[in-house]
Amino acid sequence: INAEYMGILMIPSEKTPLRVCITGAAGQIGYSLIPLVASGDVFGSDQPIHLNLLDIEPMMSVLKGTCMELDDCAYPTLLSVTPTSDYKVAFTDIDVGIFLGGFPRKAGMERKELMSKNCGIFKGQGEALNLHAKATTKILVVANPANTNCLVLSTNAPKIPKENFSCLTRLDHNRALSQLATKSKAKLKEVKNVIIWGNHSSTQYPDVSHATIADKPVKTVITDTKFLQEDFITTCLLYTSDAADEGLGVDLGGRRIIKKK
């Protein structure tokens, strides 16, 4: 089986290689994301990549296994892989940082405890970014609470412009899109400009003020005011993972339904 048969264009690229760091790389999200970055699905099939994988020291054996799998895949765009638990090694001269790693919420843990632990983690990582990363680095924060973590990270890396920092609430955004599409009997691709304000938590707010369905304002397509003001918002809030201290939780296949007291 040769490269042509497999549909792989193994043509040397003239592009300047990107150095990409993924934190929390030994986790499940990292395991799914790393091949997408390495294969060219994220930055382009002709974009060479140096990949830095950061996690805590006890996870180095897991990262070693991931590196072996990357070797087996022989991605043409992947120039090197560096597994590490050292911030300096992970962040030096990176062009892109994808922050998956954060302290997970454990049973009985109060929100302030989680926030305190993650603030400590992202403060340290922000300081390391400020020392070792390029000033042009683009940062994406995924670890929850994503907005807060992103703020802490950017505050402690002042040499990197604020506009270079972004964070994701994609799960909540997708859930909002699906509800609107189902209610209006429209295609998902026709629902646009839905905004999720706030962290992935029961304090988030799904906003359809600027949203459209098939290029028409949502409120002209869905005239059920009760749905938009109550049911839609409530459903978006139900499937959050952090509200153990705010209501009753029922585990459904890894998701927790939260019912306000």
Side-chain angles (χ1 to χ4, degrees):
I1 299 177
N2 58 32
E4 182 179 1
Y5 177 81
M6 294 294 290
I8 301 173
L9 297 177
M10 303 185 73
I11 301 173
S13 174
E14 296 181 358
K15 286 187 174 181
T16 302
L18 289 178
R19 186 167 294 278
V20 179
C21 175
I22 298 176
T23 78
Q28 293 181 353
I29 298 176
Y31 188 76
S32 297
L33 177 63
I34 288 168
L36 299 179
V37 174
S39 66
D41 284 353
V42 175
F43 296 101
S45 59
D46 62 343
Q47 176 61 64
I49 296 290
H50 291 289
L51 193 55
N52 294 354
L53 304 179
L54 175 68
D55 217 306
I56 57 177
E57 186 61 36
M59 301 304 292
M60 287 301 102
S61 60
V62 175
L63 280 186
K64 182 178 179 181
T66 300
C67 291
M68 292 173 66
E69 292 188 24
L70 289 172
D71 286 342
D72 291 343
C73 291
Y75 295 117
T77 51
L78 185 59
L79 301 183
S80 69
V81 184
T82 304
T84 184
S85 59
D86 186 313
Y87 287 171
K88 180 178 180 180
V89 174
F91 297 145
T92 295
D93 293 334
I94 61 170
D95 299 287
V96 178
I98 304 175
F99 286 72
L100 305 179
F103 195 89
R105 185 166 192 170
K106 298 181 178 180
M109 179 180 288
E110 294 185 7
R111 180 187 297 273
K112 62 182 180 181
E113 293 180 84
L114 179 67
M115 296 286 283
S116 176
K117 288 185 177 295
N118 276 304
C119 281
I121 292 171
F122 281 85
K123 180 179 185 294
Q125 291 182 343
E127 291 169 347
L129 280 174
N130 202 57
L131 286 173
H132 307 298
K134 296 178 180 178
T136 55
T137 301
K138 300 294 192 301
I139 301 296
L140 178 65
V141 178
V142 179
N144 285 314
N147 291 356
T148 304
N149 290 341
C150 190
L151 175 62
V152 173
L153 198 65
S154 66
T155 299
N156 288 279
K159 82 171 184 184
I160 302 173
K162 299 294 184 185
E163 59 267 26
N164 286 21
F165 289 83
S166 298
C167 56
L168 289 180
T169 54
R170 189 72 193 191
L171 176 64
D172 307 303
H173 182 258
N174 287 350
R175 188 169 296 131
L177 295 181
S178 296
Q179 281 196 84
L180 295 174
T182 300
K183 181 68 175 180
S184 63
K185 296 182 171 56
K187 297 177 181 177
L188 269 171
K189 66 180 181 180
E190 295 177 321
V191 183
K192 299 177 181 178
N193 299 330
V194 176
I195 301 171
I196 302 293
W197 300 103
N199 282 310
H200 174 69
S201 73
S202 59
T203 59
Q204 68 177 243
Y205 181 74
D207 183 2
V208 298
S209 300
H210 305 282
T212 60
I213 298 176
D215 297 323
K216 299 177 182 178
V218 164
K219 293 179 182 179
T220 65
V221 178
I222 300 175
T223 57
D224 185 343
T225 304
K226 181 179 182 297
F227 170 79
L228 291 175
Q229 295 182 352
E230 298 180 18
D231 298 344
F232 168 68
I233 294 173
T234 301
T235 301
C236 284
L237 301 185
L238 284 179
Y239 295 98
T240 58
S241 59
D242 73 326
D245 59 342
E246 300 173 24
L248 300 176
V250 180
D251 188 18
L252 292 180
R255 295 187 302 179
R256 179 180 294 157
I257 290 183
I258 303 303
K259 297 183 179 180
K260 287 280 191 176
K261 289 183 179 178

